[in-house]
């Protein structure tokens, strides 16, 4: 990705599309909840899963090459740099959009803060995907504005 480039926001229908999340911690749980809320068929690949998303398919094992076959998009959200890198490499080789939680330069997309209300959906991300605090502040403001539309 080009450093400091603006990103084009893209909204897609995830209904029934296989989205693979490698990792079972807090970040993976948040990503799974959002993807499931938008109708994705979420698969979690992780030895342990801390999430509370009943509709996911949890594969209780470590990531293995080939786990992304047939995926529409992928999320690498483990606490293991090597695994995250492998997931990113596999996804890019297969042409699958991937977000890598610990390395923005390995992402082909940034997972946005999602805000909904009044029949409107907004996705926010900082300009270069690095300033999560700024994106979180913006998301709080947008959520508050959208709540006023209900």
């Amino acid at each position: 990705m080009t450093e400091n480039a603006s990103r084009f926001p893209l909204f897609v229908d995830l209904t029934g599309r296989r989205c693979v999340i490698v990792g079972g911690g807090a970040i993976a749980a948040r990503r799974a909840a959002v993807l499931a809320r938008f109708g994705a068929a979420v698969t979690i690949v992780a030895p342990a899963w801390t999430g509370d998303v009943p509709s996911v398919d949890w594969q209780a094992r470590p990531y293995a090459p080939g786990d992304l076959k047939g995926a529409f998009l992928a999320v690498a959200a483990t606490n293991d740099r090597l695994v995250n890198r492998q997931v990113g490499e596999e996804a890019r080789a297969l042409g699958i959009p991937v977000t890598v939680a610990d390395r923005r330069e390995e992402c082909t997309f940034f997972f946005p803060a999602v805000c909904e209300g009044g029949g409107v959906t907004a996705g926010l991300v900082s300009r270069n995907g690095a300033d999560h605090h700024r994106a979180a502040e913006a998301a709080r403001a947008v959520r508050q504005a959208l709540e006023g539309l209900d």
Side-chain angles (χ1 to χ4, degrees), residues 15-72:
T15 306
R17 294 190 181 218
R18 185 168 182 259
C19 297
V20 177
I21 300 173
V22 179
I27 293 171
R30 286 195 307 270
R31 303 295 186 253
V34 170
L35 293 170
R37 193 167 79 228
F38 283 88
V42 179
T43 298
I44 303 292
V45 178
W49 167 239
T50 62
D52 187 21
V53 183
S55 61
V56 303
D57 171 25
W58 173 32
Q59 301 291 310
R61 58 176 175 74
Y63 161 80
D67 282 342
L68 303 184
K69 187 175 181 181
F72 178 73

Side-chain angles (χ1 to χ4, degrees), residues 57-136:
D57 171 25
W58 173 32
Q59 301 291 310
R61 58 176 175 74
Y63 161 80
D67 282 342
L68 303 184
K69 187 175 181 181
F72 178 73
L73 67 80
V75 175
T78 75
N79 60 0
D80 185 321
R81 171 86 286 268
L82 176 62
V83 172
N84 285 349
R85 187 176 76 231
Q86 289 173 328
V87 171
E89 289 172 353
E90 179 180 355
R92 287 187 300 277
L94 293 172
I96 299 167
V98 63
T99 187
V100 181
D102 64 342
R103 291 288 195 279
R104 66 186 169 125
E105 62 273 12
E106 295 179 13
C107 297
T108 61
F109 80 95
F110 295 135
F111 205 100
V114 177
C115 307
E116 297 176 279
V120 175
T121 300
L124 294 100
V125 66
S126 64
R127 184 176 186 97
N128 64 5
D131 192 349
H132 300 292
H133 179 71
R134 187 168 176 84

Side-chain angles (χ1 to χ4, degrees), residues 127-147:
R127 184 176 186 97
N128 64 5
D131 192 349
H132 300 292
H133 179 71
R134 187 168 176 84
E137 285 179 4
R140 279 191 291 278
V142 169
R143 279 188 190 101
Q144 188 175 31
L146 292 178
E147 287 171 0

